[in-house]
Amino acid sequence: MNWKWRHWPTPSATAANPALEAGTYREALLELTQNYRRLMRETHRLIRHGDRTEAELNAVNLKLQQLSSELDYKARHDTLTGSLNRGAVFEEAQRFLQDQPLSLVMLDIDFFKRINDTFGHPAGDAVIRELVKRLSEVLEGQGTIGRVGGEEFTILLPDTSLQAAAAIAESIRHNVACHTFESLPQHPVTASFGISWSAPGTAFEYAYSTADAALYEAKNKGATGWFTENLSLYNATLLFPAR
């Protein structure tokens, strides 16, 4: 704003100079009124601009929050299945073990390389996605699923006994082995399992390596079997024969 103001005569000057007419004051009053109106319009414009700027900033902040949430989700989740990724599921396991017992189920799709080599990687990806869907259906909201390798998964079952975890693993094994995969109806899909139970305060590395050893033992005994490893006994026990 760059307004030019006239230097109007003061009342004392007017009294000293009777020649000044009343019209001069009317002209001065009119100019003051016009300038006041200009000032009010500019004030309103600035207010409207300020409101718009605040709304734009709020929109930007909301978008940044959404992007931050998306980045956090992508950093913690597997892009193929939507389950937790290796790092995130390990963090969850460590958090659980701080103050509660944890059963850890590891499962691995049997002969998965053969599926990829025979039917192609898109078919293998479809099998993995369907497996995670079946895991979720069996668990019904219980436990946490994580993909820790190409065809290897971990299920965290906090405050769950070894026997209860074994029953869940058997339900999953039956679901996988006894129902044809829609994504690969021409080929059977099976999985092997390793299970460990850990008391609160157990190091995650030990709980994980123990379940991994049980899974390895199940693989050695034959596909679609499973072992449990009870940390209090430090030994693996075959719960049912490999099939």
Side-chain angles (χ1 to χ4, degrees):
M1 294 179 296
N2 186 17
W3 296 323
K4 293 182 179 180
W5 297 84
R6 297 185 188 181
H7 296 285
W8 296 100
T10 63
S12 58
T14 303
N17 188 358
L20 288 176
E21 300 177 357
T24 303
Y25 285 101
R26 286 195 297 270
E27 186 179 355
L29 181 61
L30 177 62
E31 184 173 347
L32 287 172
T33 302
Q34 291 173 343
N35 287 335
Y36 173 78
R37 289 173 178 171
R38 290 193 194 101
L39 179 61
M40 291 303 299
R41 286 196 298 270
E42 180 66 14
T43 300
H44 290 156
R45 187 189 69 80
L46 290 173
I47 291 174
R48 289 195 301 271
H49 179 73
D51 290 343
R52 185 170 65 253
T53 300
E54 183 178 359
E56 291 171 353
L57 287 175
N58 289 337
V60 170
N61 286 333
L62 179 60
K63 184 64 175 178
L64 287 174
Q65 291 175 4
Q66 292 173 343
L67 289 174
S68 178
S69 298
E70 291 176 8
L71 288 173
D72 181 67
Y73 181 89
K74 290 179 179 179
R76 292 177 51 81
H77 290 79
D78 173 58
T79 55
L80 179 63
T81 64
S83 61
L84 291 181
N85 59 29
R86 183 183 181 91
V89 77
F90 286 2
E91 288 179 3
E92 283 293 287
Q94 291 171 337
R95 182 175 65 84
F96 286 140
L97 284 169
Q98 289 177 1
D99 56 11
Q100 56 189 312
L102 176 69
S103 283
L104 192 154
V105 178
M106 292 189 63
L107 67 103
D108 185 272
I109 301 174
D110 297 322
F111 310 115
F112 185 72
K113 185 178 184 301
R114 186 182 301 170
I115 293 175
N116 276 337
D117 292 343
T118 304
F119 303 99
H121 288 275
D125 289 347
V127 167
I128 287 175
R129 285 193 295 267
E130 186 171 345
L131 172 65
V132 171
K133 180 181 178 181
R134 293 193 182 198
L135 295 179
S136 299
E137 290 172 352
V138 173
L139 291 172
E140 296 182 331
Q142 180 183 8
T144 302
I145 304 169
R147 186 183 181 195
V148 297
E151 69 275 18
E152 189 173 301
F153 295 85
T154 294
I155 301 172
L156 307 179
L157 298 167
D159 202 21
T160 302
S161 69
L162 182 65
Q163 291 74 19
I168 291 172
E170 167 57 13
S171 296
I172 294 172
R173 187 205 64 79
H174 184 270
N175 182 292
V176 172
C178 299
H179 297 86
T180 302
F181 271 56
E182 294 179 3
S183 54
L184 199 66
Q186 68 273 40
H187 187 80
V189 177
T190 61
S192 297
F193 299 75
I195 311 169
S196 70
W197 180 90
S198 306
T202 301
F204 164 73
E205 292 77 9
Y206 189 64
Y208 182 80
S209 62
T210 306
D212 189 52
L215 173 62
Y216 181 77
E217 186 70 16
K219 286 285 189 182
N220 283 341
K221 294 294 183 181
T224 194
W226 46 271
F227 272 81
T228 66
E229 180 83 11
N230 189 329
L231 295 187
S232 64
L233 299 178
Y234 297 95
N235 67 345
T237 304
L238 181 62
L239 294 187
F240 64 84
R243 302 173 186 178

